[in-house]
Amino acid sequence: MRKLLLEIALATALLAGIAPAGAADRLQVVCTLTDLGWIAEQVGGEDVEVNVLCPGEYDPHFLPARPSLARALARADLLCYNGLELEVGWLPVLLDKARNPSVRPGRPGHLDCTEAIAGILEVPDQPLSRAQGDVHPHGNPHYLLDPRNGLAVARLMAARMGALLPEAAGRFAGRAEALAAELVPRIDAWQEVAAPLRRHPLVHHTKQWEYLADWLGLELLGAVEHRPGISPSPRHVDDLIDRARRAGVRTLIAAPWNHLDVARRAAERMHAELVILPAAVGSIPEATDYPAMFDVILARLRATVPQE
Amino acid sequence: MYRFSLGAARLAALFCVLAGVALPSLATAEYLGATATGVSREFNPAISVNALLLGRVADYVVDRAYNGVDLQEAEIQLTSIVDPYWKANLVLAIHPGHEHIDDDGHGHGGYTGDVEVAYVDGINLPRGLALRLGKDYLPFGKHAPLHTHQFPFVDAPAAVRTFLGDHTLAEVGARLGHSLPMPWYSDLDVYGVDGKSAIFAADSRNLAYGARWTNVFDLSAEATLEIGGSWLRGPLAADYLLTEEYAAEALAGDLDIWGADLTFKWISASRSRGPALTVAGEVILPRPEQGAQKPLGWYAYAQYRFARNWWFGLGAGAADRDLPAHDREQEHDPTEDEHHDHSALWRWNNVREYKANFTWTPSEFSAVRFEAARYDDQVGGLDEWLLSLQLNFTIGSHPAHLY
């Protein structure tokens, strides 16, 4: 019985080893985030097949690295990830499990989308320590909450997809420019919608909205969870509430996966409204795609200030 | 072979040296002059240290060596890419030596060190193959491959400690893995190793070998079910089953150990570090090639994250050596066994265990655990209550843990 089991196991392993890898006609693209997945679909069109590792409703800092996710990576020709250590808790584990040299660091199939970002925010200029919480040592990673960065990433993806599938390079570049032509007017429109918001400071639950604020010219007074990944101290919350009241803060913004009970209590005490904003495509049902996510964000923020 | 001993002063000195290596503030200036000086930290490995401090009260003598406060273990881990072909991992572990226990039950002997892990992984292999060369925990079951700071309870289950050793299934050899073409995640690992663990005959020149088959099914985006099977074969240690019969016959035979494990995991997507549940169980069946003894070990536990920073755990298990009748009649005091130390096999005969703990995790890098455990030996009539308070902290760049 023992020998039989061993023979079956070895035969299965051998067959798996010599089986053809399954040549795909389309470029197999794996994106870590739903935002990146949407951009890859727009740029790649029918020339690519896109898989996304982190569903929109998950906080990308804490995605459980289910082994099944490594199966998609094992077949990938191109891995597109956010970088700046946003996915550090799970992507290295999946890359090791996937055993796909094509998407390992240094290969053309390995794309850190941070390469497209010209102005990374909050790059530390002081020595870091974990006393500051689970900080990102190379800067704030949430740059996709500025749609201009999404466009830059689209062009970067087009170039890399073109390098991997030269016969479709022209189509990738054309789709990236078509996406820009569609998004640029909408970016202008979103900025107009945001204009009245600039006079109203916001409080945010976690440090995640800096790129959105930077793009729209919003003022972020402070974060309830000021040390990422660490429960806020009562003294800090009291101090923030005091400052928020004095500044006339009307709105506390949070992502759907934040600990909303804490955010809700803080909002009540500062006499502000808690507004849940989609922090990723698919993080709430209305955020069906990347532009729709900004539609929802702007609509919800605009609803917090009186009409002029 | 790999062990070394450290006094407290040497231990402190070692930490200081490693901390100095990791100091980034000194590095910048040296980058500039590396061409001329040849001194650069640019390619230093990621360095992390995990330490476990343990305070413990036991009402029986079995764990008297730990009655008090001590460093349960410290692990120093170094990880780096070697070249385009290999990724390397090295773990040095330091734990109490307990070379001598005085009349009051206190351990003396400083600390001993061990190279727990030293391996390279092939990172450029074709066809999805995985190759690991060096020293690592054998992939037998779910618990034996864990590092101490990953344990769901303060101590390993009695079944693991009795039949696999607390920390002994770290072996030098080669492991080959491949994902099988199934609709679910299915992974097969086969390995051959030198066989120096406590379960193997120390003077045998035969290799040990085995396999593990891991299958993980996605029940939803939030839940998985893992079913695993393990098998290990090697030369049987003379004292493995504590019977005169086997002590005489062991060198002539091999030992097979079979294992099966089941793990259900659910992690809510609704919140960062939100509700999560793990329910797991494992059965271990050692089968000596000669004789009719049929030992059985098992454990099961559940862990639930009921608040952002809080876990609750419940566990139970058993380890039955299935001793022959004449051996059962002789009461055996586990503390008299020369192998009663951190890394060797446990010497209880037929033990039941029950555990419960609360763990507070204020961040990903520290945890405080309070645990109550009860052990009953069905043969020797021995029993023990253990209360433990454990502090677990990690500094440096520690690699993410497996799912």
Side-chain angles (χ1 to χ4, degrees):
Chain A
M1 180 64 181
R2 184 193 313 135
K3 285 184 177 174
L4 178 63
L5 283 174
L6 185 61
E7 284 169 7
I8 291 172
L10 290 176
T12 311
L14 188 62
L15 284 171
I18 61 175
D25 296 335
R26 299 194 292 172
L27 199 66
Q28 299 295 307
V29 179
V30 169
C31 297
T32 53
L33 311 179
T34 48
D35 299 16
L36 296 175
W38 183 85
I39 294 169
E41 284 175 348
Q42 305 311 302
V43 173
E46 68 272 15
D47 293 307
V48 304
E49 183 176 332
V50 177
N51 280 287
V52 173
L53 299 179
C54 182
E57 61 265 29
Y58 266 102
D59 181 347
H61 295 90
F62 297 105
L63 178 73
R66 285 181 286 122
S68 60
L69 299 175
R71 302 181 73 217
L73 263 179
R75 299 188 298 269
D77 302 306
L78 174 62
L79 163 67
C80 303
Y81 66 101
N82 185 91
L84 296 174
E85 300 200 357
L86 178 65
E87 305 102 328
V88 70
W90 46 274
L91 186 58
V93 173
L94 294 178
L95 269 174
D96 283 348
K97 273 205 171 297
R99 302 163 184 168
N100 179 356
S102 301
V103 295
R104 292 199 73 92
R107 295 300 187 92
H110 183 97
L111 181 60
D112 179 351
C113 294
T114 309
E115 289 177 27
I117 309 306
I120 295 171
L121 300 179
E122 300 186 326
V123 179
D125 55 3
Q126 301 282 327
L128 289 177
S129 88
R130 293 287 184 200
Q132 296 158 271
D134 198 3
V135 288
H136 295 280
H138 304 295
N140 189 317
H142 303 287
Y143 56 77
L144 288 169
L145 285 168
D146 178 343
R148 298 171 300 180
N149 288 334
L151 280 182
V153 167
R155 291 187 172 113
L156 177 71
M157 281 187 186
R160 188 60 63 90
M161 288 177 183
L164 291 170
L165 198 63
E167 61 269 31
R171 294 196 292 276
F172 295 138
R175 290 191 197 106
E177 291 316 309
L179 180 63
E182 178 195 338
L183 274 187
V184 167
R186 298 184 73 170
I187 290 172
D188 293 339
W190 288 323
Q191 290 175 177
E192 281 185 30
V193 172
L197 301 171
R198 293 178 190 135
R199 295 190 294 275
H200 303 280
L202 303 168
V203 168
H204 51 152
H205 182 268
T206 50
K207 290 175 63 62
Q208 159 152 29
W209 306 99
E210 285 74 11
Y211 288 93
L212 182 81
D214 182 63
W215 162 48
L216 296 175
L218 308 180
E219 181 189 350
L220 294 173
L221 188 74
V224 175
E225 189 176 294
H226 61 305
R227 293 173 300 193
I230 308 289
S231 298
S233 67
R235 177 179 294 183
H236 165 75
V237 175
D238 288 346
D239 177 60
L240 180 64
I241 288 169
D242 189 42
R243 287 193 293 130
R245 282 178 177 168
R246 281 191 271 116
V249 168
R250 296 164 179 261
T251 309
L252 190 158
I253 57 176
W257 50 68
N258 290 154
H259 285 258
L260 299 180
D261 48 344
V262 176
R264 190 167 291 112
R265 283 197 298 273
E268 285 172 3
R269 289 180 60 196
M270 61 181 68
H271 309 302
E273 180 184 355
L274 173 62
V275 177
I276 312 298
L277 299 181
V281 172
S283 57
I284 62 171
E286 298 93 322
T288 51
D289 58 33
Y290 195 56
M293 177 175 75
F294 291 105
D295 283 339
V296 175
I297 289 174
L298 269 299
R300 292 190 175 184
L301 285 178
R302 187 65 182 81
T304 62
V305 298
Q307 297 292 325
E308 295 175 349
Chain B
M1 183 176 181
Y2 305 101
R3 287 171 179 269
F4 52 92
S5 296
L6 295 169
R10 288 180 182 175
L11 181 68
L14 177 60
F15 271 107
C16 291
V17 168
L18 285 165
V21 169
L23 275 178
S25 57
L26 299 177
T28 307
E30 288 175 5
Y31 292 158
L32 301 176
T35 304
T37 64
V39 178
S40 169
R41 293 193 172 99
E42 188 72 54
F43 298 105
N44 274 359
I47 301 171
S48 67
V49 176
N50 172 269
L52 295 165
L53 301 176
L54 182 60
R56 171 164 280 183
V57 177
D59 75 336
Y60 182 60
V61 291
V62 170
D63 280 285
R64 64 186 175 187
Y66 301 112
N67 222 339
V69 180
D70 208 342
L71 174 72
Q72 184 183 11
E73 185 177 80
E75 282 189 348
I76 301 156
Q77 182 162 9
L78 299 97
T79 308
S80 186
I81 302 292
V82 177
D83 58 22
Y85 311 105
W86 304 104
K87 179 180 180 181
N89 195 21
L90 176 73
V91 177
L92 304 173
I94 297 165
H95 41 72
H98 294 152
E99 290 163 353
H100 167 67
I101 298 175
D102 64 23
D103 293 339
D104 297 326
H106 295 113
H108 297 275
Y111 295 87
T112 59
D114 201 2
V115 180
E116 279 201 346
V117 162
Y119 63 75
V120 290
D121 279 330
I123 56 175
N124 208 6
L125 299 176
R127 297 189 178 279
L129 284 171
L131 175 64
R132 178 168 293 181
L133 301 175
K135 186 179 185 189
D136 189 24
Y137 295 122
L138 298 185
F140 188 97
K142 287 290 286 183
H143 203 286
L146 296 179
H147 292 260
T148 311
H149 67 274
Q150 298 173 282
F151 286 3
F153 296 88
V154 171
D155 296 303
V160 173
R161 298 166 79 181
T162 304
F163 297 127
L164 303 176
D166 192 351
H167 252 86
T168 58
L169 276 187
E171 292 277 0
V172 179
R175 185 200 303 184
L176 194 63
H178 195 278
S179 292
L180 305 182
M182 305 289 191
W184 62 90
Y185 178 84
S186 184
D187 208 37
L188 181 68
D189 285 289
V190 295
Y191 53 86
V193 296
D194 195 36
K196 285 191 168 60
S197 297
I199 64 173
F200 299 125
D203 52 354
S204 171
R205 299 177 65 86
N206 292 340
L207 294 179
Y209 47 93
R212 172 162 175 82
W213 189 14
T214 304
N215 299 277
V216 184
F217 303 89
D218 281 358
L219 304 179
S220 72
E222 297 181 319
T224 57
L225 181 68
E226 177 175 342
I227 301 173
S230 306
W231 163 67
L232 170 61
R233 183 179 178 86
L236 176 66
D239 58 349
Y240 181 64
L241 292 172
L242 279 183
T243 71
E244 294 177 7
E245 176 187 359
Y246 283 102
E249 296 179 357
L251 292 179
D254 276 351
L255 167 71
D256 285 297
I257 306 179
W258 297 86
D261 51 86
L262 192 71
T263 306
F264 168 81
K265 280 192 178 183
W266 169 78
I267 302 172
S268 169
S270 64
R271 270 174 287 166
S272 318
R273 301 174 74 190
L277 174 69
T278 300
V279 180
E282 183 171 348
V283 176
I284 300 170
L285 300 169
R287 291 292 178 267
E289 198 171 48
Q290 300 182 26
Q293 216 172 334
K294 292 185 176 178
L296 165 68
W298 65 270
Y299 69 85
Y301 70 87
Q303 280 184 301
Y304 180 59
R305 182 160 60 195
F306 60 93
R308 175 178 180 172
N309 299 328
W310 285 92
W311 289 86
F312 174 61
L314 271 179
D320 182 0
R321 295 181 188 280
D322 190 26
L323 297 182
H326 66 274
D327 281 333
R328 283 173 177 267
E329 291 165 5
Q330 299 174 3
E331 184 171 300
H332 177 81
D333 185 347
T335 63
E336 293 176 357
D337 198 286
E338 59 180 320
H339 294 288
H340 181 70
D341 66 15
H342 170 83
S343 59
L345 296 168
W346 231 29
R347 295 294 146 185
W348 292 56
N349 297 321
N350 182 358
V351 66
R352 301 279 185 273
E353 64 179 347
Y354 311 92
K355 301 175 179 178
N357 64 24
F358 282 97
T359 306
W360 178 56
T361 55
S363 77
E364 290 184 86
F365 307 99
S366 68
V368 178
R369 171 172 288 168
F370 175 73
E371 182 170 301
R374 167 83 178 173
Y375 298 95
D376 290 316
D377 193 316
Q378 308 291 302
V379 174
L382 308 175
D383 57 62
E384 180 181 39
W385 272 104
L386 271 176
L387 297 178
S388 304
L389 185 64
Q390 182 193 54
L391 171 65
N392 179 346
F393 66 87
T394 300
I395 56 176
S397 177
H398 192 69
H401 291 157
L402 296 177
Y403 178 71

